[in-house]
Amino acid sequence: MKLAAVLFAATFLASVQAHTLVYQVSGSTTGLRSIVNNSPVTDVSSQDIKCNVGNPQAVTPRDVAPGQDLFFSYRHDVPNDDIMASSHLGPCMVYAARYPAESDWIKLWHEGLTNGQWCTTKMIANKGFGITLPSNMPSGRWVLRIEVLALHSAYASGGAQFYMRCMDINVSGSNSGSPSPTIKFPGGYKSNDPGILFNLYTTPPPSSYTVPGGSVGSFSGSSSGGNTGGNGGQSSPSPSPRTSPASSPASSGGNCVAKF
């Protein structure tokens, strides 16, 4: 009974101050699709799980280059506020899909629980996080799906809170290639996935975590030049997390560079 009361209180207090959203990318709103508010999506089978409530429509894309840094700035209500409640522990993910199909999403990067620290804790400390796009990302129109997952209520089915926003980009150059593996939204997440139905409140606290959405993918094909991660242009370089626009890389594995 006492544990139930503690969990309820923690969930209630967190829900009051927790909502969050990406409001700028590298200092600009260009390319960010409009969303209704900063509330989470909780139904993984809903169409809203793709780009947020109401299926936000495409906007004029941001021109970017392979290997370019993008920093995703978050806020709760206003810029430079508390971002989200510190109790909202969970992973961060970035996906990409070809426009206009937006049907097959490759995971560019993720980070969950690393050396006892959650990605969202780093995100709050740095007011956001960022990635360096793969140096062999194929040219043309893409949609980025930037997401954090809050697990404070995830001990019950339907309690996980997904905060995502989509961004239209136009990648320059002449790289070509195919992403693999890919997932669907909806379809790529299940309500009982181990990283979605998850109890933060165990004793001792969790020491491992499986980020939902499968493994980080890569691009196969040709590159027009630049760093290809030592793979002869056959796959993208590894990502390392970025939560400050000028911070140094930290290894996290995967297909684009992310820095905290």
Side-chain angles (χ1 to χ4, degrees), residues 22-158:
V22 179
Y23 76 95
Q24 281 186 342
V25 179
S26 299
S28 171
T29 60
T30 301
L32 281 174
R33 295 186 179 184
S34 297
I35 55 177
V36 175
N37 54 41
N38 65 356
S39 295
V41 174
T42 57
D43 183 358
V44 296
S45 65
S46 166
Q47 290 294 327
D48 295 340
I49 200 68
K50 185 176 82 169
C51 284
N52 216 305
V53 175
N55 190 27
Q57 298 302 297
V59 297
T60 301
R62 171 92 61 97
D63 290 328
V64 299
Q68 180 173 329
D69 289 347
L70 295 175
F71 187 79
F72 308 113
S73 297
Y74 277 77
R75 66 170 172 80
H76 176 198
D77 290 318
V78 296
N80 299 313
D81 62 9
D82 58 351
I83 306 297
M84 66 191 298
S86 60
S87 62
H88 277 42
L89 304 175
C92 314
M93 297 85 86
V94 179
Y95 297 85
R98 274 294 192 187
Y99 176 86
E102 301 178 26
S103 59
D104 298 303
W105 295 83
I106 178 175
K107 183 184 282 184
L108 296 181
W109 167 79
H110 67 203
E111 183 164 320
L113 180 62
T114 305
N115 297 324
Q117 188 172 43
W118 289 94
C119 180
T120 51
T121 301
K122 298 179 184 179
M123 184 195 83
I124 292 169
N126 291 280
K127 308 295 186 183
F129 64 90
I131 62 172
T132 301
L133 295 173
S135 63
N136 67 341
M137 188 169 185
S139 61
R141 285 286 298 269
W142 289 85
V143 181
L144 295 181
R145 181 180 178 277
I146 308 112
E147 178 178 48
V148 296
L149 168 56
L151 299 169
H152 57 288
S153 300
Y155 52 83
S157 181

